[in-house]
């Protein structure tokens, strides 16, 4: 009987040596197949820097596998024989190598998984789709946690309770069965504004090598119409450099991350943030090693508890929770729009050219870096889209286009559930809506803005101030049912009619101005 020959198909966000599709791979027998295809690069007009990062990281990963002795069939985007989509490329690879079986790890997105399921019927060999062990909670784990004994789903889920279960399961920051320090969550200690005397640490740069430069030229040529800047490019694209970046963060930035993780400062897009989500989501870093190194820093007295707990919470709490919600609620979740938000995305979301300085900063940094930290995303960009009533579909697509760490599974629930409250409270207990005072407290953006953050009405008033109250007024029927909104909705009901008329008039003027003209969902240049 002939020995079974296996084609092991590795996707671009599965760049982990320990990925399940590589379990039992044998040098000299199996073929590892990887492919850059136009259909994936243009499923939306992804940021140029994201495409360059993934293609370069994929090529470096393929070289690492070759150094181990594996046969790697790597299909480049510009290869003459590239058919342009995963299914066709895989079928041609199966025929080319004469394999008996194809093995792959489950795709992270519903869209790609549905395509993979169709390949079972199209391929002339067996296709095994294995679970993705890089996540700490399996699909079954999350469903078990999220449903009642009768199998029913509750009307809402809260990350905090899931996070506590994950702490117990992993043992991270636990002592004798109780949370380290006596409490589960130190979020209240993580909301300080950044003093002028504090300077963020200098970050290491990872200069592009010849392989990355080749990819950058390809992206500049093939994806010129896509959003974003490709230069400068200093992402870690190898496992070795990703590990070095993690080590740098734990030593240099993690100690300050706790106090100032919610702070924003003009000209400082990274501050004390890890900037590791892109590396974790594509597989160059494992979430467990990130948590373990951070916890060790706390145990060794090199980082405070509020910093380490906040970092670990983002990974085993929020990241795992969001992934669980995605698979639990799809495919209908993508269409959620409880607040009936229908306004188009403004044109300045593609250019960064707006007189609102906070948005200009966050969007321009996104355009330059394919990155903005979580408070910029939630409380500047997301907050604006929420109180301006922007169509959730358009916001989802924008987030998926612009961020290097964005995949459907992580982007969609964050936008639908957290930023826009479009799911009616399944993920967030209340809308994360705020006026200009919050932005002024947590940043220095307002000092360089042409609008006056302390002015409530009129042409010079910060638009966040009147849009906030207009949002509450427009959605009063829905929001008054939310217990956590009782105080602010009470203030709305007590608002004098002339003040409410000012809010509506200012908002109507704002929505009619040239900055708010939408360009449509397909525009990204």
């Amino acid at each position: 009987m002939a020995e079974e020959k296996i084609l092991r198909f590795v996707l671009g966000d599965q760049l982990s040596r320990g990925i399940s599709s590589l379990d039992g791979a044998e040098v000299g027998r199996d073929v590892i197949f990887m492919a850059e295809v136009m259909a994936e690069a243009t499923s939306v007009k992804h940021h140029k820097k994201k495409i360059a990062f993934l293609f370069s990281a994929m090529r470096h990963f393929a070289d690492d596998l070759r150094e181990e002795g594996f046969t790697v069939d790597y299909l480049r985007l510009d290869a003459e024989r590239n058919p342009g989509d995963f299914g066709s490329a895989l079928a041609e690879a199966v025929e080319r190598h004469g394999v008996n079986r194809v093995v792959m790890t489950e795709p992270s997105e519903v869209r790609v998984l549905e395509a993979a399921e169709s390949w079972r019927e199209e391929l002339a060999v067996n296709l095994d789709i294995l679970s993705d062990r890089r996540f700490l909670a399996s699909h079954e784990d999350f469903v078990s946690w999220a449903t009642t004994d009768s199998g029913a789903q509750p009307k809402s889920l809260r990350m905090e309770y899931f996070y506590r279960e994950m702490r117990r399961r992993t043992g991270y920051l636990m002592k004798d069965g109780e949370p380290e320090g006596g409490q589960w969550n130190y979020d209240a200690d993580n909301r300080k504004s950044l003093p002028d005397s504090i300077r963020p640490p200098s970050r290491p740069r990872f200069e592009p090598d010849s392989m990355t430069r080749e990819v950058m030229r390809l992206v500049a040529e093939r994806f010129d119409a896509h959003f974003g800047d490709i230069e400068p490019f200093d992402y870690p694209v190898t496992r070795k450099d990703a590990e070095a970046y993690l080590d740098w963060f734990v030593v240099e930035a993690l100690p300050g991350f706790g106090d100032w993780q919610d702070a924003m400062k003009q000209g400082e897009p990274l501050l004390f943030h890890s900037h590791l989500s892109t590396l974790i989501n594509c597989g160059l870093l494992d979430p467990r090693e990130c948590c373990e190194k951070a916890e060790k820093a706390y145990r060794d007295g090199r980082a405070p508890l509020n910093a380490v707990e906040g970092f670990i919470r983002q990974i085993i709490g929020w990241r795992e929770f969001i992934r669980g919600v995605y698979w639990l609620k799809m495919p209908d979740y993508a269409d959620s729009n409880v607040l009936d938000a229908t306004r188009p995305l403004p044109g300045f979301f593609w250019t960064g050219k707006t007189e609102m300085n906070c948005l200009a900063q966050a969007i321009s940094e996104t355009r330059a870096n394919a990155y903005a930290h979580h408070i910029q995303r939630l409380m500047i960009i997301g907050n604006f889209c929420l109180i301006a009533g922007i169509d959730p579909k358009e916001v989802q697509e924008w987030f998926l286009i612009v961020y290097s760490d964005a995949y459907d599974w992580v982007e969609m629930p964050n936008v639908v559930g957290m930023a826009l409250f479009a799911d009616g409270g399944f993920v967030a207990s209340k809308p994360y809506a705020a006026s200009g005072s919050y932005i002024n407290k947590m940043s220095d953006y307002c000092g360089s803005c042409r609008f006056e953050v302390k002015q409530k009405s009129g042409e010079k008033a910060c638009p966040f101030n009147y849009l906030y109250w207009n949002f509450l007024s427009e959605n009063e029927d829905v929001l008054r049912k939310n217990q956590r909104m009782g105080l602010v909705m009470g203030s709305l009901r007590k608002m004098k009619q002339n003040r409410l008329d000012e809010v509506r008039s200012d908002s109507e003027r704002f929505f009619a101005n040239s900055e708010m003209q939408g360009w449509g969902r397909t525009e990204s240049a």
Side-chain angles (χ1 to χ4, degrees):
M1 183 176 178
E3 184 180 26
E4 184 180 48
K5 187 176 183 180
I6 301 172
L7 186 77
R8 300 180 180 273
F9 185 25
V10 177
L11 300 176
D13 62 347
Q14 298 177 347
L15 308 182
S16 305
R17 184 59 185 87
I19 199 77
S20 57
S21 57
L22 297 180
D23 283 354
E26 289 190 18
V27 172
R29 181 195 68 178
D30 299 338
V31 176
I32 299 171
F33 178 59
M34 301 176 67
E36 303 165 2
V37 294
M38 187 62 74
E40 289 304 305
T42 58
S43 58
V44 296
K45 285 187 173 181
H46 293 288
H47 196 297
K48 296 185 189 78
K49 198 162 283 184
K50 178 180 182 178
I51 299 172
F53 164 75
L54 282 174
F55 283 2
S56 179
M58 288 169 66
R59 294 184 185 190
H60 283 89
F61 185 69
D63 273 3
D64 289 345
L65 293 171
R66 291 188 185 106
E67 288 183 8
E68 288 189 52
F70 287 107
T71 298
V72 180
D73 182 352
Y74 191 97
L75 182 63
R76 295 192 176 202
L77 187 80
D78 52 359
E80 290 185 7
R81 57 186 170 85
N82 193 322
D85 66 274
F86 278 151
S88 300
L90 182 59
E92 290 182 6
V94 167
E95 183 177 357
R96 187 162 56 247
H97 295 286
V99 298
N100 309 107
R101 183 159 63 103
V102 174
V103 173
M104 66 180 296
T105 295
E106 174 189 79
S108 64
E109 300 181 350
V110 167
R111 173 184 60 84
V112 183
L113 179 60
E114 289 177 345
E117 293 289 355
S118 73
W119 304 336
R120 292 183 190 273
E121 301 175 3
E122 298 167 4
L123 294 174
V125 297
N126 291 330
L127 169 62
D128 294 339
I129 301 177
L130 308 177
S131 62
D132 191 345
R133 296 191 306 259
R134 294 175 301 169
F135 291 91
L136 284 76
S138 67
H139 298 314
E140 295 76 16
D141 290 337
F142 191 84
V143 169
S144 176
W145 174 81
T147 55
T148 65
D149 292 340
S150 64
Q153 289 185 19
K155 293 182 179 180
S156 64
L157 295 176
R158 294 293 169 257
M159 186 279 289
E160 177 64 23
Y161 302 112
F162 173 76
Y163 168 57
R164 294 179 186 185
E165 178 62 26
M166 293 299 290
R167 285 274 295 277
R168 294 186 186 98
R169 182 185 302 182
T170 61
Y172 295 145
L173 294 179
M174 298 293 290
K175 185 177 182 180
D176 299 327
E178 297 295 326
E180 193 71 43
Q183 63 189 70
W184 292 102
N185 188 314
Y186 290 86
D187 188 50
D189 298 328
N190 297 343
R191 302 172 184 172
K192 296 180 181 179
S193 57
L194 189 71
D196 291 338
S197 59
I198 298 297
R199 294 288 180 267
S202 298
R203 290 184 180 256
R205 293 184 58 84
F206 300 89
E207 293 296 330
D209 60 11
S210 59
M211 183 180 291
T212 301
R213 284 290 176 192
E214 182 181 7
V215 168
M216 291 169 67
R217 287 191 292 270
L218 173 70
V219 172
E221 176 185 337
R222 299 289 183 95
F223 305 99
D224 181 59
H226 282 223
F227 177 83
D229 305 328
I230 198 168
E231 295 272 12
F233 188 97
D234 64 351
Y235 273 78
V237 294
T238 66
R239 166 66 180 167
K240 179 181 178 182
D241 284 349
E243 288 180 297
Y245 201 19
L246 171 59
D247 290 340
W248 173 87
F249 165 71
V250 169
V251 173
E252 300 294 339
L254 179 59
F257 173 70
D259 286 349
W260 299 301
Q261 66 173 277
D262 284 8
M264 297 171 282
K265 184 174 179 62
Q266 189 158 319
E268 294 286 353
L270 300 180
L271 295 174
F272 293 87
H273 290 267
S274 73
H275 197 218
L276 299 176
S277 54
T278 297
L279 307 179
I280 296 172
N281 288 354
C282 80
L284 288 181
L285 290 177
D286 186 87
R288 295 170 184 82
E289 70 178 322
C290 296
C291 293
E292 288 162 5
K293 288 189 175 184
E295 183 181 36
K296 188 174 188 305
Y298 167 71
R299 302 291 183 196
D300 293 345
R302 294 182 287 113
L305 181 57
N306 72 316
V308 175
E309 186 278 320
F311 178 68
I312 289 177
R313 176 167 18 103
Q314 287 188 348
I315 295 177
I316 71 168
W318 194 248
R319 182 175 186 268
E320 296 279 336
F321 177 76
I322 284 296
R323 189 239 189 179
V325 168
Y326 175 79
W327 288 101
L328 184 72
K329 302 296 286 185
M330 282 295 284
D332 296 338
Y333 196 71
D335 298 322
S336 302
N337 191 1
V338 165
L339 301 180
D340 293 324
T342 58
R343 291 188 179 95
L345 195 73
F348 67 76
F349 267 66
W350 304 114
T351 66
K353 296 177 181 178
T354 171
E355 292 185 305
M356 291 174 284
N357 188 48
C358 58
L359 280 162
Q361 293 299 315
I363 294 170
S364 295
E365 290 174 1
T366 295
R367 187 178 181 92
N369 305 320
Y371 177 84
H373 70 68
H374 70 275
I375 295 299
Q376 289 176 307
R377 298 190 201 194
L378 177 64
M379 298 308 300
I380 302 292
I381 297 170
N383 179 24
F384 174 81
C385 291
L386 171 66
I387 63 177
I390 307 299
D391 186 336
K393 282 283 192 181
E394 297 199 17
V395 184
Q396 287 177 60
E397 185 177 60
W398 187 84
F399 269 77
L400 188 59
I401 285 171
V402 304
Y403 293 118
S404 61
D405 58 4
Y407 299 87
D408 218 31
W409 67 266
V410 66
E411 168 273 324
M412 183 188 298
N414 269 301
V415 170
V416 171
M418 190 67 172
L420 301 185
F421 201 70
D423 64 1
F426 187 78
V427 165
S429 59
K430 68 172 185 175
Y432 276 82
S435 65
S437 60
Y438 173 86
I439 298 169
N440 191 38
K441 175 186 176 183
M442 297 309 301
S443 78
D444 62 356
Y445 295 153
C446 299
S448 301
C449 188
R450 86 109 170 146
F451 296 106
E452 297 291 337
V453 69
K454 294 183 180 180
Q455 192 162 323
K456 306 303 181 185
S457 62
E459 293 190 7
K460 290 186 178 180
C462 171
F464 280 83
N465 289 341
Y466 51 77
L467 290 178
Y468 172 76
W469 289 106
N470 188 69
F471 162 76
L472 298 178
S473 176
E474 284 188 337
N475 297 284
E476 184 175 6
D477 288 345
V478 174
L479 300 182
R480 67 185 178 188
K481 302 171 187 176
N482 187 300
Q483 292 183 346
R484 293 195 65 193
M485 296 292 289
L487 185 62
V488 69
M489 297 310 291
S491 297
L492 177 69
R493 287 191 293 273
K494 295 175 184 177
M495 186 175 288
K496 294 181 179 179
Q497 187 61 47
N498 65 334
R499 173 69 183 119
L500 193 56
D501 290 342
E502 282 182 340
V503 164
R504 290 170 178 165
S505 176
D506 285 336
S507 298
E508 288 171 2
R509 183 190 69 250
F510 178 84
F511 292 135
N513 73 27
S514 59
E515 280 196 357
M516 278 299 292
Q517 301 314 301
W519 286 9
R521 291 182 56 202
T522 59
E523 181 61 62
S524 62

PDB file of all heavy atoms in Angstrom, residues 349-372:
ATOM      1  N   PHE A 349     -13.350  60.162   6.259  1.00  0.00           N
ATOM      2  CA  PHE A 349     -12.842  58.916   6.814  1.00  0.00           C
ATOM      3  C   PHE A 349     -11.773  58.298   5.910  1.00  0.00           C
ATOM      4  O   PHE A 349     -10.990  57.464   6.356  1.00  0.00           O
ATOM      5  CB  PHE A 349     -13.980  57.923   7.036  1.00  0.00           C
ATOM      6  CG  PHE A 349     -14.559  57.989   8.422  1.00  0.00           C
ATOM      7  CD1 PHE A 349     -15.232  59.118   8.857  1.00  0.00           C
ATOM      8  CD2 PHE A 349     -14.424  56.928   9.305  1.00  0.00           C
ATOM      9  CE1 PHE A 349     -15.756  59.186  10.135  1.00  0.00           C
ATOM     10  CE2 PHE A 349     -14.944  56.984  10.584  1.00  0.00           C
ATOM     11  CZ  PHE A 349     -15.613  58.115  11.005  1.00  0.00           C
ATOM     12  N   TRP A 350     -11.732  58.698   4.651  1.00  0.00           N
ATOM     13  CA  TRP A 350     -10.712  58.184   3.733  1.00  0.00           C
ATOM     14  C   TRP A 350      -9.516  59.115   3.616  1.00  0.00           C
ATOM     15  O   TRP A 350      -8.428  58.684   3.240  1.00  0.00           O
ATOM     16  CB  TRP A 350     -11.335  57.948   2.358  1.00  0.00           C
ATOM     17  CG  TRP A 350     -12.507  57.036   2.408  1.00  0.00           C
ATOM     18  CD1 TRP A 350     -13.808  57.339   2.139  1.00  0.00           C
ATOM     19  CD2 TRP A 350     -12.509  55.651   2.779  1.00  0.00           C
ATOM     20  NE1 TRP A 350     -14.612  56.235   2.314  1.00  0.00           N
ATOM     21  CE2 TRP A 350     -13.836  55.183   2.706  1.00  0.00           C
ATOM     22  CE3 TRP A 350     -11.495  54.752   3.157  1.00  0.00           C
ATOM     23  CZ2 TRP A 350     -14.193  53.870   2.996  1.00  0.00           C
ATOM     24  CZ3 TRP A 350     -11.857  53.443   3.445  1.00  0.00           C
ATOM     25  CH2 TRP A 350     -13.186  53.013   3.370  1.00  0.00           C
ATOM     26  N   THR A 351      -9.691  60.380   3.953  1.00  0.00           N
ATOM     27  CA  THR A 351      -8.609  61.349   3.787  1.00  0.00           C
ATOM     28  C   THR A 351      -8.003  61.828   5.102  1.00  0.00           C
ATOM     29  O   THR A 351      -6.859  62.268   5.135  1.00  0.00           O
ATOM     30  CB  THR A 351      -9.121  62.579   3.024  1.00  0.00           C
ATOM     31  OG1 THR A 351     -10.109  63.256   3.842  1.00  0.00           O
ATOM     32  CG2 THR A 351      -9.760  62.181   1.692  1.00  0.00           C
ATOM     33  N   GLY A 352      -8.794  61.797   6.170  1.00  0.00           N
ATOM     34  CA  GLY A 352      -8.357  62.359   7.445  1.00  0.00           C
ATOM     35  C   GLY A 352      -8.473  63.863   7.495  1.00  0.00           C
ATOM     36  O   GLY A 352      -8.073  64.486   8.485  1.00  0.00           O
ATOM     37  N   LYS A 353      -9.036  64.472   6.447  1.00  0.00           N
ATOM     38  CA  LYS A 353      -9.116  65.930   6.373  1.00  0.00           C
ATOM     39  C   LYS A 353     -10.446  66.407   6.939  1.00  0.00           C
ATOM     40  O   LYS A 353     -11.468  66.433   6.254  1.00  0.00           O
ATOM     41  CB  LYS A 353      -8.936  66.388   4.927  1.00  0.00           C
ATOM     42  CG  LYS A 353      -7.554  66.061   4.368  1.00  0.00           C
ATOM     43  CD  LYS A 353      -7.432  66.470   2.908  1.00  0.00           C
ATOM     44  CE  LYS A 353      -6.041  66.103   2.367  1.00  0.00           C
ATOM     45  NZ  LYS A 353      -5.919  66.447   0.925  1.00  0.00           N
ATOM     46  N   THR A 354     -10.430  66.756   8.205  1.00  0.00           N
ATOM     47  CA  THR A 354     -11.604  67.279   8.897  1.00  0.00           C
ATOM     48  C   THR A 354     -11.147  68.293   9.926  1.00  0.00           C
ATOM     49  O   THR A 354     -10.032  68.214  10.453  1.00  0.00           O
ATOM     50  CB  THR A 354     -12.396  66.159   9.592  1.00  0.00           C
ATOM     51  OG1 THR A 354     -13.406  66.744  10.431  1.00  0.00           O
ATOM     52  CG2 THR A 354     -11.510  65.285  10.454  1.00  0.00           C
ATOM     53  N   GLU A 355     -12.005  69.266  10.213  1.00  0.00           N
ATOM     54  CA  GLU A 355     -11.660  70.288  11.204  1.00  0.00           C
ATOM     55  C   GLU A 355     -11.777  69.763  12.628  1.00  0.00           C
ATOM     56  O   GLU A 355     -11.340  70.433  13.565  1.00  0.00           O
ATOM     57  CB  GLU A 355     -12.553  71.512  11.010  1.00  0.00           C
ATOM     58  CG  GLU A 355     -12.279  72.264   9.710  1.00  0.00           C
ATOM     59  CD  GLU A 355     -13.080  73.544   9.596  1.00  0.00           C
ATOM     60  OE1 GLU A 355     -14.329  73.469   9.717  1.00  0.00           O
ATOM     61  OE2 GLU A 355     -12.468  74.603   9.398  1.00  0.00           O
ATOM     62  N   MET A 356     -12.386  68.610  12.807  1.00  0.00           N
ATOM     63  CA  MET A 356     -12.432  67.991  14.134  1.00  0.00           C
ATOM     64  C   MET A 356     -11.087  67.316  14.385  1.00  0.00           C
ATOM     65  O   MET A 356     -10.791  66.254  13.834  1.00  0.00           O
ATOM     66  CB  MET A 356     -13.587  66.988  14.211  1.00  0.00           C
ATOM     67  CG  MET A 356     -14.952  67.637  14.172  1.00  0.00           C
ATOM     68  SD  MET A 356     -16.314  66.431  14.080  1.00  0.00           S
ATOM     69  CE  MET A 356     -16.205  65.943  12.357  1.00  0.00           C
ATOM     70  N   ASN A 357     -10.264  67.920  15.219  1.00  0.00           N
ATOM     71  CA  ASN A 357      -8.872  67.485  15.340  1.00  0.00           C
ATOM     72  C   ASN A 357      -8.743  66.069  15.866  1.00  0.00           C
ATOM     73  O   ASN A 357      -7.858  65.318  15.433  1.00  0.00           O
ATOM     74  CB  ASN A 357      -8.090  68.446  16.246  1.00  0.00           C
ATOM     75  CG  ASN A 357      -6.609  68.137  16.240  1.00  0.00           C
ATOM     76  OD1 ASN A 357      -5.996  67.957  15.186  1.00  0.00           O
ATOM     77  ND2 ASN A 357      -6.025  68.041  17.429  1.00  0.00           N
ATOM     78  N   CYS A 358      -9.610  65.655  16.785  1.00  0.00           N
ATOM     79  CA  CYS A 358      -9.502  64.305  17.339  1.00  0.00           C
ATOM     80  C   CYS A 358      -9.681  63.265  16.235  1.00  0.00           C
ATOM     81  O   CYS A 358      -8.923  62.276  16.154  1.00  0.00           O
ATOM     82  CB  CYS A 358     -10.503  64.084  18.460  1.00  0.00           C
ATOM     83  SG  CYS A 358     -12.242  64.320  17.987  1.00  0.00           S
ATOM     84  N   LEU A 359     -10.662  63.490  15.361  1.00  0.00           N
ATOM     85  CA  LEU A 359     -10.879  62.567  14.256  1.00  0.00           C
ATOM     86  C   LEU A 359      -9.769  62.674  13.214  1.00  0.00           C
ATOM     87  O   LEU A 359      -9.329  61.657  12.662  1.00  0.00           O
ATOM     88  CB  LEU A 359     -12.237  62.841  13.607  1.00  0.00           C
ATOM     89  CG  LEU A 359     -13.432  62.240  14.347  1.00  0.00           C
ATOM     90  CD1 LEU A 359     -14.731  62.908  13.923  1.00  0.00           C
ATOM     91  CD2 LEU A 359     -13.516  60.734  14.121  1.00  0.00           C
ATOM     92  N   ALA A 360      -9.299  63.877  12.973  1.00  0.00           N
ATOM     93  CA  ALA A 360      -8.187  64.046  12.025  1.00  0.00           C
ATOM     94  C   ALA A 360      -6.963  63.285  12.500  1.00  0.00           C
ATOM     95  O   ALA A 360      -6.268  62.630  11.700  1.00  0.00           O
ATOM     96  CB  ALA A 360      -7.869  65.528  11.854  1.00  0.00           C
ATOM     97  N   GLN A 361      -6.686  63.342  13.798  1.00  0.00           N
ATOM     98  CA  GLN A 361      -5.527  62.629  14.346  1.00  0.00           C
ATOM     99  C   GLN A 361      -5.697  61.119  14.234  1.00  0.00           C
ATOM    100  O   GLN A 361      -4.815  60.414  13.741  1.00  0.00           O
ATOM    101  CB  GLN A 361      -5.315  63.022  15.810  1.00  0.00           C
ATOM    102  CG  GLN A 361      -4.888  64.453  16.038  1.00  0.00           C
ATOM    103  CD  GLN A 361      -3.556  64.783  15.382  1.00  0.00           C
ATOM    104  OE1 GLN A 361      -2.596  64.023  15.477  1.00  0.00           O
ATOM    105  NE2 GLN A 361      -3.494  65.918  14.720  1.00  0.00           N
ATOM    106  N   ALA A 362      -6.844  60.612  14.685  1.00  0.00           N
ATOM    107  CA  ALA A 362      -7.049  59.162  14.710  1.00  0.00           C
ATOM    108  C   ALA A 362      -7.091  58.573  13.302  1.00  0.00           C
ATOM    109  O   ALA A 362      -6.527  57.502  13.046  1.00  0.00           O
ATOM    110  CB  ALA A 362      -8.340  58.832  15.465  1.00  0.00           C
ATOM    111  N   ILE A 363      -7.748  59.261  12.370  1.00  0.00           N
ATOM    112  CA  ILE A 363      -7.859  58.734  11.014  1.00  0.00           C
ATOM    113  C   ILE A 363      -6.543  58.880  10.258  1.00  0.00           C
ATOM    114  O   ILE A 363      -6.130  57.967   9.526  1.00  0.00           O
ATOM    115  CB  ILE A 363      -9.015  59.422  10.263  1.00  0.00           C
ATOM    116  CG1 ILE A 363     -10.355  59.043  10.908  1.00  0.00           C
ATOM    117  CG2 ILE A 363      -9.018  59.035   8.786  1.00  0.00           C
ATOM    118  CD1 ILE A 363     -11.545  59.842  10.398  1.00  0.00           C
ATOM    119  N   SER A 364      -5.863  59.997  10.424  1.00  0.00           N
ATOM    120  CA  SER A 364      -4.574  60.185   9.750  1.00  0.00           C
ATOM    121  C   SER A 364      -3.545  59.177  10.243  1.00  0.00           C
ATOM    122  O   SER A 364      -2.750  58.643   9.447  1.00  0.00           O
ATOM    123  CB  SER A 364      -4.066  61.614   9.966  1.00  0.00           C
ATOM    124  OG  SER A 364      -4.918  62.557   9.359  1.00  0.00           O
ATOM    125  N   GLU A 365      -3.540  58.894  11.547  1.00  0.00           N
ATOM    126  CA  GLU A 365      -2.625  57.877  12.070  1.00  0.00           C
ATOM    127  C   GLU A 365      -2.989  56.496  11.553  1.00  0.00           C
ATOM    128  O   GLU A 365      -2.114  55.672  11.274  1.00  0.00           O
ATOM    129  CB  GLU A 365      -2.625  57.925  13.599  1.00  0.00           C
ATOM    130  CG  GLU A 365      -1.952  59.173  14.156  1.00  0.00           C
ATOM    131  CD  GLU A 365      -2.064  59.300  15.667  1.00  0.00           C
ATOM    132  OE1 GLU A 365      -2.664  58.397  16.300  1.00  0.00           O
ATOM    133  OE2 GLU A 365      -1.555  60.297  16.223  1.00  0.00           O
ATOM    134  N   THR A 366      -4.274  56.246  11.401  1.00  0.00           N
ATOM    135  CA  THR A 366      -4.718  54.978  10.816  1.00  0.00           C
ATOM    136  C   THR A 366      -4.253  54.872   9.373  1.00  0.00           C
ATOM    137  O   THR A 366      -3.777  53.814   8.937  1.00  0.00           O
ATOM    138  CB  THR A 366      -6.252  54.880  10.879  1.00  0.00           C
ATOM    139  OG1 THR A 366      -6.661  54.819  12.257  1.00  0.00           O
ATOM    140  CG2 THR A 366      -6.763  53.663  10.146  1.00  0.00           C
ATOM    141  N   ARG A 367      -4.399  55.938   8.616  1.00  0.00           N
ATOM    142  CA  ARG A 367      -3.963  55.942   7.218  1.00  0.00           C
ATOM    143  C   ARG A 367      -2.460  55.691   7.116  1.00  0.00           C
ATOM    144  O   ARG A 367      -1.997  54.954   6.249  1.00  0.00           O
ATOM    145  CB  ARG A 367      -4.327  57.274   6.569  1.00  0.00           C
ATOM    146  CG  ARG A 367      -4.065  57.316   5.071  1.00  0.00           C
ATOM    147  CD  ARG A 367      -4.492  58.645   4.438  1.00  0.00           C
ATOM    148  NE  ARG A 367      -4.234  58.609   3.010  1.00  0.00           N
ATOM    149  CZ  ARG A 367      -5.104  58.218   2.096  1.00  0.00           C
ATOM    150  NH1 ARG A 367      -6.317  57.844   2.462  1.00  0.00           N
ATOM    151  NH2 ARG A 367      -4.786  58.209   0.815  1.00  0.00           N
ATOM    152  N   ALA A 368      -1.695  56.276   8.023  1.00  0.00           N
ATOM    153  CA  ALA A 368      -0.239  56.134   7.987  1.00  0.00           C
ATOM    154  C   ALA A 368       0.226  54.777   8.487  1.00  0.00           C
ATOM    155  O   ALA A 368       1.173  54.199   7.939  1.00  0.00           O
ATOM    156  CB  ALA A 368       0.405  57.252   8.817  1.00  0.00           C
ATOM    157  N   ASN A 369      -0.421  54.248   9.524  1.00  0.00           N
ATOM    158  CA  ASN A 369       0.122  53.099  10.251  1.00  0.00           C
ATOM    159  C   ASN A 369      -0.705  51.823  10.150  1.00  0.00           C
ATOM    160  O   ASN A 369      -0.265  50.783  10.634  1.00  0.00           O
ATOM    161  CB  ASN A 369       0.248  53.455  11.741  1.00  0.00           C
ATOM    162  CG  ASN A 369       1.065  54.710  11.966  1.00  0.00           C
ATOM    163  OD1 ASN A 369       2.082  54.927  11.305  1.00  0.00           O
ATOM    164  ND2 ASN A 369       0.624  55.561  12.883  1.00  0.00           N
ATOM    165  N   ALA A 370      -1.900  51.885   9.568  1.00  0.00           N
ATOM    166  CA  ALA A 370      -2.844  50.753   9.604  1.00  0.00           C
ATOM    167  C   ALA A 370      -3.124  50.350  11.047  1.00  0.00           C
ATOM    168  O   ALA A 370      -3.385  49.190  11.349  1.00  0.00           O
ATOM    169  CB  ALA A 370      -2.327  49.556   8.800  1.00  0.00           C
ATOM    170  N   TYR A 371      -3.080  51.312  11.934  1.00  0.00           N
ATOM    171  CA  TYR A 371      -3.239  51.047  13.363  1.00  0.00           C
ATOM    172  C   TYR A 371      -3.766  52.301  14.058  1.00  0.00           C
ATOM    173  O   TYR A 371      -3.418  53.429  13.712  1.00  0.00           O
ATOM    174  CB  TYR A 371      -1.903  50.656  13.989  1.00  0.00           C
ATOM    175  CG  TYR A 371      -1.967  50.445  15.492  1.00  0.00           C
ATOM    176  CD1 TYR A 371      -2.378  49.224  16.017  1.00  0.00           C
ATOM    177  CD2 TYR A 371      -1.647  51.470  16.384  1.00  0.00           C
ATOM    178  CE1 TYR A 371      -2.465  49.030  17.397  1.00  0.00           C
ATOM    179  CE2 TYR A 371      -1.721  51.284  17.759  1.00  0.00           C
ATOM    180  CZ  TYR A 371      -2.135  50.073  18.253  1.00  0.00           C
ATOM    181  OH  TYR A 371      -2.223  49.880  19.613  1.00  0.00           O
ATOM    182  N   ALA A 372      -4.615  52.091  15.043  1.00  0.00           N
ATOM    183  CA  ALA A 372      -4.978  53.090  16.040  1.00  0.00           C
ATOM    184  C   ALA A 372      -5.281  52.301  17.301  1.00  0.00           C
ATOM    185  O   ALA A 372      -5.796  51.181  17.230  1.00  0.00           O
ATOM    186  CB  ALA A 372      -6.195  53.911  15.610  1.00  0.00           C
TER     187      ALA A 372
END
